[in-house]
Every structure is written in C-alpha cells, then in structure tokens.
Amino acid sequence: MELVKHYRDHRSKHNALIHWVLFVFDLVVLGIFVPTFYEAELLTLDPILVVIVGGIIFAFCIMPHILLKVLQKPKGSDIDSNARTIRLVEKNKTVKTIPFDRIQFLSFSEYSYTVKSKNGSRTVTVYTVMGQLEGESFAIAESTNYPEVRLFGESIAKQLKTSIKQESGELVPYTDLDLPIHKRKVPKEILDSEITFSPKSQLLMESTGGTSLLKSNYSPKIYTIIAITVSLALTLIIHFVFGSLVDLSLDSWESIPPNTEQIVFFILSLGIGFSPLIYVWWNRRKRKEIQISKDTLFFNGKAYPFQDYEEILLKNNTLYLVNDHSAKTYSLHFFCELSDMGLVRNWILKEIAKQSGGNEDLGRF
C-alpha cells in the first residue's frame, strides 16, 4: 500500500480533463494556422510582424489554461500512513493536520449544486467520504461517481484501520469490508419485514425449483404518451427543417416514388425521429426479472456469482453490484415505481440470505 495517498476534490479532477481538452484544441488551432501561414508565405514577411502574430496565437492558446489555474482553488487530502496523519490541502498548502487516532469512524455523505449555462441548468450530486471526529466531521475524498467514492471509503478505512458507518447506523469493521454478499449481515428490519409492492409496479414474486424470482410487467402509459409526442416532434423537425435545407423533404418531392436520396432521407428521418418511441417500446417488451439461486444473482438471465461481489447499492434509480474492482449496473427505471425501488433492493438482500443459508450473525451488512 502507498505510504502517502492523495485524493483531489471533484472540481480539480474535472479541471484536469478540461486542460487536456484545451490542449487538444490548441494543437488543432496550430495545425490549421501554421500550414495556412506557410502556404500564404506569411512567414517570409517582416520578422517583427511574424513575432507579433505568433505571440497573439500563443496568447490565444495559453490564456484559458492560465485563467483556469488562477481561478481554481484545488483542494484535497493526503493520507500519510508513515506519519499516521491526514493533511487537508488547499492550493498545495496544508491547512489542517489530523492524526489517525482522532478519527472515530468514516461515513458517506452527499450534497448537490446546480450548474447554470446558456442552454439551461443541471444538478451535480457529489458523494463524499467523511471522517468523524469528536463533535465534528471533515471531508476526506469525493466523487460524482458513487461506486468510486465507495471504493475510496473502503481503501481509506483499511489504511486508517477504522470502521465505516452504514446508512442503517451499523459500524462495519475494516476487516469485514471484503466479505462477499452472501456472508454479510442483513439488517434485522429487512429480514423481519413483509415486503409488499405497489400494484402499479406489477411485480410478481415466485419461488420455483429452489430459486426466487421477481418478475416485472411494469408498463406505465405515461412513458408511451411522452415518447409518441417527442418522436412526432423530432421527426417533423428532422424531416422538414433539415430536409428542406438539402431539398430532400416531402415539400421537395417532384414525383412518387421520389428519387433514391429522398427515399433514404425519409427512412432515416423516421428512424431517428421515432427512436424515443422505439426505446420505450423495447424497454416495455424486453425481459425484466431478477432471479436468485443458492449462489448466484441473475439480472435478466445474466449471472453474477455471490462470491464475486461485495455489496448491492441503490443510487439514482439504479442498482449497483460492486466489488473493489468494478460495478455492474441494473436500471430500475422501467422495472417498477419509484416508491418500490428500495423494496426491490431489500427483497434481493432478504432472498440472498434465505437462498444461501445465511443468517444475521454472518458478516456485518
């Protein structure tokens, strides 16, 4: 294990990506301007003029990088196993040093903020690993990807040799973090609960041949209505707005059947325009079931052995089947009502414990 491990805040990581995008853009600009000047024999003009023009181009390329560097305030943390301290860093300067011994346990938290642009706005959710002290807490690592921040949390807990507090309030010893799903403790409130889904979700529970099956016939009409509306609007825009620019729309047909280009464009506009409806129709018709056997979890027939995965998480209407190396996802968006998604996860945990012969004394979850 590394003696010093550094974690950056999510904005710093995004800024690094922006720098690379700008660098590629700079290369494209230089790749256009330099050959153009050479072909136009502008490089043979007055050397002073060449220096001035070159300086302007260089400033144009370098200025966005300078502005990003000046405006950003990178934060992060350095976990030093040798000194047994966590250093909170801002602009490459240590603002606080916290000994390992002061940290009681770790936990996960999240916060959101809105990013506005000329095209609208979007909400960014940031997941955070928090260190809990006596009467206060502090952020150690963060990411907009929940499975990634979970991995950060487990890695930090092992490095600090401390526990992680779950949403249920249980403290998980760092020695139990690598247990597979079927050896983890299921909360008593889940084991003892009678799981009942909303009739709107159209979920059917079955137990056949030693396996548990949860099958979905969920098919809300509102999705179809929205898909039809969007598809019609998109088709009309593509066919008549863009088609008119290249004389391929219905308005440009001079005969029936039209020429080959017009037929091809008509088919493409229908295919692209009705893609939202096709997507909804496919999600309504496809196989939607979760099956659990003695040692394997199946999502729509695809097998995931218990031994290979550590946890099942639910974030943003998606189930995450995770271990220390990867995260497999299964969307519940077309599977059930929003109010039943947590119950689906509880059903999986309960059935895994039952099918594998597990009990609440095993593991810690």
Side-chain angles (χ1 to χ4, degrees), residues 199-252:
K200 293 181 179 180
S201 292
Q202 299 183 55
L203 295 175
L204 178 63
M205 293 181 286
E206 297 179 358
S207 294
T208 57
T211 64
S212 300
L213 177 67
L214 184 63
K215 187 175 182 180
S216 172
N217 294 312
Y218 184 58
S219 183
K221 294 181 179 179
I222 186 64
Y223 290 159
T224 303
I225 294 173
I226 294 174
I228 291 174
T229 304
V230 173
S231 294
L232 286 173
L234 186 59
T235 300
L236 292 174
I237 291 172
I238 293 174
H239 189 81
F240 287 102
V241 176
F242 294 101
S244 297
L245 297 175
V246 290
D247 294 329
L248 293 176
S249 66
L250 283 169
D251 294 338
S252 303

Side-chain angles (χ1 to χ4, degrees), residues 215-216 218 283-284 286-289 300 330 334-335:
K215 187 175 182 180
S216 172
Y218 184 58
N283 276 283
R284 290 184 59 176
K286 74 173 184 178
R287 180 182 184 183
K288 294 181 292 186
E289 61 183 37
N300 294 344
Y330 185 72
F334 286 92
F335 191 85

Side-chain angles (χ1 to χ4, degrees), residues 146-164:
Y146 186 78
E148 181 181 40
V149 90
R150 172 202 170 270
L151 181 59
F152 289 164
E154 291 204 356
S155 177
I156 294 168
K158 293 171 187 175
Q159 195 170 1
L160 271 60
K161 295 184 178 181
T162 190
S163 302
I164 294 181

Side-chain angles (χ1 to χ4, degrees), residues 13 16 23 43-44 84 87 101 152 159 162 167 192 208 237 243 262 267 338 343 357:
K13 289 187 286 187
F23 179 70
L43 297 178
T44 61
R84 292 187 55 79
R87 296 188 297 272
D101 296 340
F152 289 164
Q159 195 170 1
T162 190
E167 292 180 0
D192 294 344
T208 57
I237 291 172
Q262 291 171 335
I267 295 173
L338 179 63
L343 292 177

Side-chain angles (χ1 to χ4, degrees), residues 71-308:
L71 295 177
Q72 70 179 358
K73 296 180 180 179
K75 299 179 181 179
S77 62
D78 292 326
I79 303 180
D80 190 335
S81 295
N82 191 35
R84 292 187 55 79
T85 60
I86 296 180
R87 296 188 297 272
L88 303 184
V89 181
E90 184 172 340
K91 283 191 171 182
N92 298 322
K93 294 182 180 179
T94 300
V95 295
K96 190 173 185 179
T97 300
I98 302 168
F100 284 3
D101 296 340
R102 285 194 60 200
I103 300 173
Q104 298 176 330
F105 57 86
L106 304 181
S107 63
F108 295 107
S109 182
E110 64 182 76
Y111 66 92
S112 299
Y113 62 91
T114 301
V115 178
K116 295 183 179 180
S117 66
K118 63 180 181 180
N119 296 321
S121 62
R122 63 186 180 92
T123 300
V124 178
T125 300
V126 183
Y127 305 101
T128 309
V129 180
M130 304 294 293
Q132 301 294 328
L133 307 177
E134 184 69 39
E136 63 174 311
S137 62
F138 66 98
I140 303 177
E142 65 181 29
S143 173
T144 54
N145 183 322
Y146 186 78
E148 181 181 40
V149 90
R150 172 202 170 270
L151 181 59
F152 289 164
E154 291 204 356
S155 177
I156 294 168
K158 293 171 187 175
Q159 195 170 1
L160 271 60
K161 295 184 178 181
T162 190
S163 302
I164 294 181
K165 188 174 185 178
Q166 297 293 306
E167 292 180 0
S168 62
E170 290 187 72
L171 288 177
V172 184
Y174 72 93
T175 52
D176 288 351
L177 293 175
D178 291 329
L179 288 174
I181 298 174
H182 63 299
K183 291 186 178 181
R184 293 184 171 236
K185 183 178 179 181
V186 179
K188 185 175 177 59
E189 57 268 23
I190 294 179
L191 286 175
D192 294 344
S193 65
E194 185 68 32
I195 296 178
T196 304
F197 300 106
S198 166
K200 293 181 179 180
S201 292
Q202 299 183 55
L203 295 175
L204 178 63
M205 293 181 286
E206 297 179 358
S207 294
T208 57
T211 64
S212 300
L213 177 67
L214 184 63
K215 187 175 182 180
S216 172
N217 294 312
Y218 184 58
S219 183
K221 294 181 179 179
I222 186 64
Y223 290 159
T224 303
I225 294 173
I226 294 174
I228 291 174
T229 304
V230 173
S231 294
L232 286 173
L234 186 59
T235 300
L236 292 174
I237 291 172
I238 293 174
H239 189 81
F240 287 102
V241 176
F242 294 101
S244 297
L245 297 175
V246 290
D247 294 329
L248 293 176
S249 66
L250 283 169
D251 294 338
S252 303
W253 289 11
E254 296 179 353
S255 62
I256 297 179
N259 60 45
T260 303
E261 290 81 4
Q262 291 171 335
I263 292 176
V264 171
F265 181 77
F266 180 74
I267 295 173
L268 287 175
S269 62
L270 286 178
I272 297 173
F274 276 86
S275 56
L277 182 59
I278 294 171
Y279 175 76
V280 170
W281 176 84
W282 178 76
N283 276 283
R284 290 184 59 176
R285 301 291 298 176
K286 74 173 184 178
R287 180 182 184 183
K288 294 181 292 186
E289 61 183 37
I290 300 172
Q291 189 175 9
I292 300 171
S293 69
K294 184 178 180 180
D295 57 7
T296 307
L297 171 64
F298 298 86
F299 286 147
N300 294 344
K302 190 170 182 179
Y304 300 95
F306 297 159
Q307 191 64 38
D308 294 345

